[in-house]
Amino acid sequence: MGAAVISPPSRRVFAGGFALVACVLTLSAAAPAQQTRAAQGPAAFIEIQAPVVALEHVRVIDGTGAAPIEDQTVVLTGGRIAALGPSGQVVVPAGARRVDLTGRTVIPGLVGLHEHLFYPNPGDAELYKVHRFSFPRLYLAGGVTTARTGGTFEALTDLAIKKDIDEGRAIGPKLLITAGYMDGRPLSTPQMSEVSTPEQARRFVERWAAAGVHSIKAYRHIPRAALAEAVKVAHERGLTLTGHLCSVSFRERSEEH
């Protein structure tokens, strides 16, 4: 898990496990500026890339439920937390980049458990469009350093976005991709895959398991037999399955699986 720094609007972003959580407007500049920065790659978004960074005089919320701790110094070495303690007591290595963050707060990076990279198409609310440029940046700007998508209409696109982030060609949180949607008749949107039989369910799960997804998504009208087969095959492949269901109740699925 990474971590994030909450602050007033700023473009300062730290390399490694920390990201500065800034006002959304910071990452919503004019389109020409976006395209220029996108062409430059992730480095254009990272102001501080020193191997050793000391975040001084910050408030720390550790995520355990403990009270915030005031006036702390966090030392990052190679993108990892090497030291944490009261400012003035923590030893800051010689040559470290020292950043005074008085009045700001450090929190653990947030893990989003049901996110999407798409949004309804303004011209047709029944169709959805992936926003590969803005969504990963907006999640990261909000302090989300790991995001599990909760379904997609373009799994190959989501996987490509994940690969670009993992390999350093794009900036965004660590992504765990959920393939889907499996739906029965009537399809909830025309972009969903019709999965009405156990054999169709098996083929669907096996295809996306081979492609490298993290989990599978079932939707409202999938028949019970198809859903049961999808769950079985997903578990055989070491995947989880999540569902937005009407055809089967939560209690029924819990009792069977």
Side-chain angles (χ1 to χ4, degrees), residues 70-191:
E70 303 292 338
D71 197 16
Q72 301 290 293
T73 289
V74 183
V75 178
L76 306 175
T77 300
R80 294 183 175 274
I81 298 174
L84 167 64
S87 296
Q89 297 183 26
V90 171
V91 176
V92 177
R97 175 71 180 274
R98 305 177 78 132
V99 185
D100 185 348
L101 295 178
T102 300
R104 305 185 187 187
T105 299
V106 172
I107 65 173
L110 302 176
V111 179
L113 296 179
H114 188 135
E115 316 304 331
H116 296 292
L117 300 179
F118 62 78
Y119 202 73
N121 188 335
D124 187 341
E126 290 189 358
L127 298 179
Y128 296 81
K129 179 180 178 181
V130 174
H131 295 263
R132 69 176 182 87
F133 182 91
S134 58
F135 274 36
R137 289 161 175 78
L138 290 173
Y139 282 128
L140 198 58
V144 176
T145 55
T146 299
R148 171 189 171 274
T149 64
T152 179
F153 301 105
E154 297 185 32
L156 291 177
T157 302
D158 282 16
L159 286 167
I161 294 169
K162 170 182 168 58
K163 184 176 182 181
D164 282 346
I165 293 171
D166 290 347
E167 296 180 358
R169 291 188 296 272
I171 193 165
K174 176 183 178 182
L175 294 176
L176 304 174
I177 303 301
T178 297
Y181 297 77
M182 298 183 297
D183 200 10
R185 286 289 177 182
L187 293 176
S188 300
T189 81
Q191 289 173 286

